[in-house]
Every structure is written in structure tokens, then in C-alpha cells.
Amino acid sequence: MHQMAPSPAAFKSAGPLSGRVRVPGDKSISHRSLMLSALAVGTSTVEGLLEGEDVLATAAAMRAMGAQIERGADGRWTIQGVGVGGLLQPSQALDMGNSGTSTRLLMGLVASHPIVATFTGDASLSKRPMNRVIEPLSLMGAEFTSSPGGRLPLMLRGIAPAVPIEYRLPVASAQVKSAILLAGLNTPGITRVIEPVPTRDHSERMLRGFGAELTVGIDAGGARIISIRGEAELKPQHIVVPGDPSSAAFPVVAALLVPGSDVVIENVGLNPTRAGLFEVLRMMGGRIDYLDEREVGGEPVADLHVRGSALTGIEVPPEFAPSMIDEFPILFVAAALAKGRTVTRGLEELRVKESDRLALMASGLARLGAHVKESEDGLVIEGTDGTPLAANGPVEIAAELDHRIAMSFAVAGLAAANDVIVDDMAPVATSFPIFTELMTSLGATAS
Ligand code: S3P
């Protein structure tokens, strides 16, 4: 992955947003589609794959380990798998770019194969903690040589056969859960993950869909117990990837905040482990209707009809956090314009995402004139009740290689009195390459 030159853009208000749009495929499901297809025996196809840099980093890594992955002219992807246990030694370091999901899930896959892989990443990814996966994968027998603090670049020496473990997640993380389950695929016996707080369950759904023997129980304390039987044979699949709710979040909030807007976002995944933001926005008074609710690729999906709304601040129940963990930056923008106070807590994980999202959102919103108080694990925001931000002139925001910070402030610009200039929109290509184009097609102004 090459570093691109910074690409600044100014976003400004330009009247109501309107139209029908479709957001790209779900990032979490796209990564997993490539990884599981690459481990199946035979040819899988994927429709609606997110063609963002993060997912392309996963594709490149799976190719480097032996899978054949091609994009057809019709946009459909074809993957010839190597079979569980069949991953080959990559001849070069695996460049993970900005992608934490690629890194942590692939570490799980490599851990139970008899191969050595080096993982590298960009400046943002190289600051992110990997001990959360190094610890359980070491218990399974993999060996790691990492940079100080358990960071990238790191070298992983996988082992086969690996040792099955039972592991209770110390942090609510779908990436850690998935890394262990993926390592368990090529491990004899039963590998078990105990998840006290439920996180996105795409890995469980998809592993089952590919034919792995995976069960989910609940223990006496209410934790989910996920068990996978290893040395599985995965059967090739045809996968249809639904639209990414984490991308839909940006046009949804933009349409709520710009008075008079009327927008439909089609084909949005509404898996309950992902749809927390839309529920919270509805609790704040956001007019979001689910049209034509249906199933796509085993996931609940609907078209979202969103209209400009006067929002009211709320206390976001901390149990919502895992189902909207990537959506807090854009929720904070909505809260900054709502009537009254929004209180969020239990969000310490936001400090170790692509950036420290609590710090960047607090400082950026304050520079736009919002009233924000930052605590260790959340923000308290006193909203302006619809009075536009950036009242004293244009404001430039540094996105620090974080796609969701860049998109959140772009949306803030649409509800501001003056331009909001995002210093670098290039990272948006990791998850939502058509963001600016899509927002402009709804009537936003970006220059
Ligand atoms: C993801 C899990 C979440 C999320 C990330 C995607 C996944 O990370 O923030 O964008 O696909 O499993 P954590 O596991 O760190 O919470």
C-alpha cells in the first residue's frame, strides 16, 4: 500500500440533501468473505465486496499465502481456496496499510499454520495495540517478535498443530474473538471463546455458512460461549455482501442535520450487533424509517428513509457501545447540534482505534464552537439546538489518518455556518472510497 499525498477538502452547507443512494459493501463481511473463501476447498464468489484499501490489503495478503483472487469485469470476485491448513509461506512482509481488522484476523489465521509472516502497517496502524491478539495466540503455541509495546511491525511464527484454548475476552472486541476462532479452524479439537459483552457476530454466522461446526451457548453469567471444532473442511460459497451500516451512518446523520433533507439509503445491513447508531438516533428524535426489510446474504437489510429532524440529546446506554463502536465520531457530530445534553460513557476502546477518537472529536468539535467535555471513557456534549457550528469562520481539522474522523468532520461542515476543511480525505479510501462523490450526489458541496 503506498502513502498518497494529502488530499484536503472543504465541506459546506448547501441546502437540503435529497436522493436515493447505495453505500459500498460491509467492511467486516468483506474481509471475512475473502479470508474464508481463501480457506475453502474450491471456488467461491463474492458480490458487493467493498473495494476499499483495507479489504484490498486482505486480498493481497491472502494471495501472498496462496489463494487465487480475481475481480471479474462485472464486479464479482472469484476466490480459489487453498483449504484449511493450506496457507503458504508468504515471500514478503504482509502490508496491512491502515487496517486493524486485516491485521488481527490474519494473525489468527497464520497462528495455526506452520508458516512465518511479518506484518507491517502505516503510522496509524503501527501505534495500535496487538497484545490483545498476541496473548491468546501465544497460548495456542504461536510465537511473536513484535515492536515495543506489542506493536507492528511484528513477526509471527505459526504452529501446526496448535493447541486449542478456552479464552475469556478481557476487552469487547470482535477482532480478537475472530482471530481466535480463525486460529481454531486449523487446530485439533474445540477452541472456545467466552464473550461477556456481545460484539458483531459476522464471523460466527459466516463460519457456520461455510460449513464449520460452530455453536453458541450462554453461560450462567450471561456470557456467550462460542465453540468451534477445528480441522474443518470449508465448502465454497456464493456471498452477497450487504451495504455497510458504518458507512451509511454518515449520509444518515447528514440528512438528519441538514433541515429539509429527504434521503433514501438503500440496502443497509441492520444486523443487531451493528445497528445501534440508528436506534440511538431514533431515540434522539431522528426520523429514520426502515423500508422493505429483508435478508441479504443471511443478514437483515433495509432501505433507510431519513428526513431532516430536530434532535434531542440523550444519555447513550453503555450497553449500546459494541453495536455502534465505529459510529461514535458521527454520533458526537449529531449531539453537537442536538437540543440539550448527550452523555456517553464506557468508550475507552475509542482511544485505540485508527486514532484516539475521543480526543480528536473533542478537540475538533470544540474548535467548531461546540460545548464538549472529555472524560477518560466518553464525551459529554451540550448541543446548540440546531445553531450552525463554525460560526466564527472556516476551521481546518487534522484527521490523523483516520477515515471516520475525516468523514465525521465533513458531515459537520454540511451543518456549519462556514467551511470545515478536512486536511486529508485520502484515508476515506480505506472504507468508503466514494464518500465525497456520494455526498455530492445528494447535494452536498465539497471543494
Ligand atoms: C471489526 C471490529 C471492531 C471495529 C472494526 C471492525 C471487525 O474492532 O471497530 O472497525 O470487523 O471485527 P474491535 O474488535 O477492535 O472492537
Side-chain angles (χ1 to χ4, degrees), residues 27 33 47 88 116 132 162 214 353 391:
K27 181 152 75 72
S33 299
E47 256 178 76
L88 303 177
V116 178
R132 52 184 59 199
L214 181 144
K353 294 292 181 189

Side-chain angles (χ1 to χ4, degrees), residues 1-2 4 7 24 27 50-57 98 401-404 406-407 424-436:
M1 215 123 301
H2 55 277
M4 293 205 291
S7 157
K27 181 152 75 72
L50 167 64
E51 295 175 356
E53 288 171 1
D54 281 12
V55 175
L56 298 179
N98 189 252
L401 290 181
D402 187 331
H403 54 138
R404 299 199 202 283
M407 291 187 278
D424 187 11
M425 289 299 286
V428 164
T430 59
S431 69
F432 195 170
I434 59 164
F435 169 78
T436 301

Side-chain angles (χ1 to χ4, degrees), residues 1 31 71 81 100 106 139 150 201 243 258 299 302 313 337 367 371 410:
M1 215 123 301
H31 283 298
R71 180 189 194 276
L106 289 171
L139 295 173
D201 63 357
V258 180
E299 296 273 349
L337 285 139
R367 292 189 50 228
H371 306 288

Side-chain angles (χ1 to χ4, degrees), residues 256 280-288 307 309-312 314:
L256 291 174
V280 167
L281 290 170
R282 296 219 273 201
M283 286 154 67
M284 295 172 78
R287 293 194 292 167
I288 305 173
R307 281 168 288 179
S309 307
L311 301 177
T312 308
I314 58 163

